[in-house]
């Protein structure tokens, strides 16, 4: 069947299958537009947040890149929540909220974490930069 529900949007950023919400870190790096967004690739419902990543040369056609951030590091074992991106010293830097449940309820912990990339595709986590170690 060929109707408007079957078509992939032409001018709208979307994620791969899974859950997508809040945009994060809209930035220009080495002449390309980068958009990061909250993403959970394992289900169509909210889950441990990742950062999805798309790039464009013209703000019309978007290329999906590998997931930029996935939970599992120091401070972000249960999620990589919202944040921002900057370009500094020819690197792309992501500052984001790391989340750990620690049993839920009052035991949750959120800290600010940092990651960087020299190529705009592959990111190295640097751990917690604001909050408890």
């Amino acid at each position: 069947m060929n109707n408007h529900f079957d078509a992939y949007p032409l001018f709208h950023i979307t994620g791969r299958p899974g859950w997508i919400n809040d945009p994060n870190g809209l930035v220009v790096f080495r002449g390309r537009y980068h958009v990061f967004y909250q993403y959970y690739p394992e289900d169509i419902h909210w889950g441990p947040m990742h950062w999805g990543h798309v790039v464009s040369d013209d703000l019309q056609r978007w290329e999906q890149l590998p997931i930029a951030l996935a939970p599992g590091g120091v401070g972000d074992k249960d999620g990589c929540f919202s944040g921002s991106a900057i370009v500094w010293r020819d690197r792309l830097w992501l500052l984001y909220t790391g989340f750990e449940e620690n049993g839920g309820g009052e035991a949750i912990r959120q800290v600010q974490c940092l990651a960087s990339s020299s190529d705009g595709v592959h990111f190295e986590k640097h751990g917690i930069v604001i909050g408890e170690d």
Side-chain angles (χ1 to χ4, degrees):
M1 182 174 210
N2 191 9
N3 64 40
H4 69 278
F5 294 110
D6 296 329
Y8 195 78
L10 296 177
F11 301 106
H12 184 74
I13 295 170
T14 60
R16 295 182 176 112
W19 172 267
I20 180 175
N21 66 326
D22 303 344
N24 296 301
L26 295 89
V27 68
V28 176
F29 179 64
R30 296 187 181 161
R32 300 190 85 193
Y33 300 96
H34 291 252
V35 174
F36 301 90
Y37 52 87
Q38 294 290 274
Y39 181 53
Y40 180 51
E42 303 298 322
D43 202 341
I44 59 171
H45 303 285
W46 191 93
M49 285 297 106
H50 296 57
W51 274 34
H53 185 193
V54 294
V55 294
S56 176
D57 295 318
D58 59 11
L59 295 175
Q60 293 181 30
R61 292 175 294 273
W62 294 93
E63 173 189 348
Q64 293 280 342
L65 292 181
I67 291 172
L69 298 173
V74 174
D76 69 10
K77 77 176 186 69
D78 295 314
C80 301
F81 286 5
S82 294
S84 193
I86 63 167
V87 175
W88 184 61
R89 295 189 176 176
D90 198 36
R91 289 183 71 83
L92 180 52
W93 297 84
L94 306 179
L95 183 65
Y96 64 99
T97 300
F99 174 74
E100 291 186 359
E101 269 195 60
N102 293 337
E106 295 297 319
I108 65 169
R109 181 177 112 164
Q110 295 184 27
V111 293
Q112 298 305 296
C113 299
L114 185 67
S116 69
S117 173
S118 60
D119 65 4
V121 177
H122 305 95
F123 289 85
E124 174 188 359
K125 290 182 180 179
H126 302 288
I128 300 168
V129 293
I130 300 173
E132 302 174 20
D133 294 69

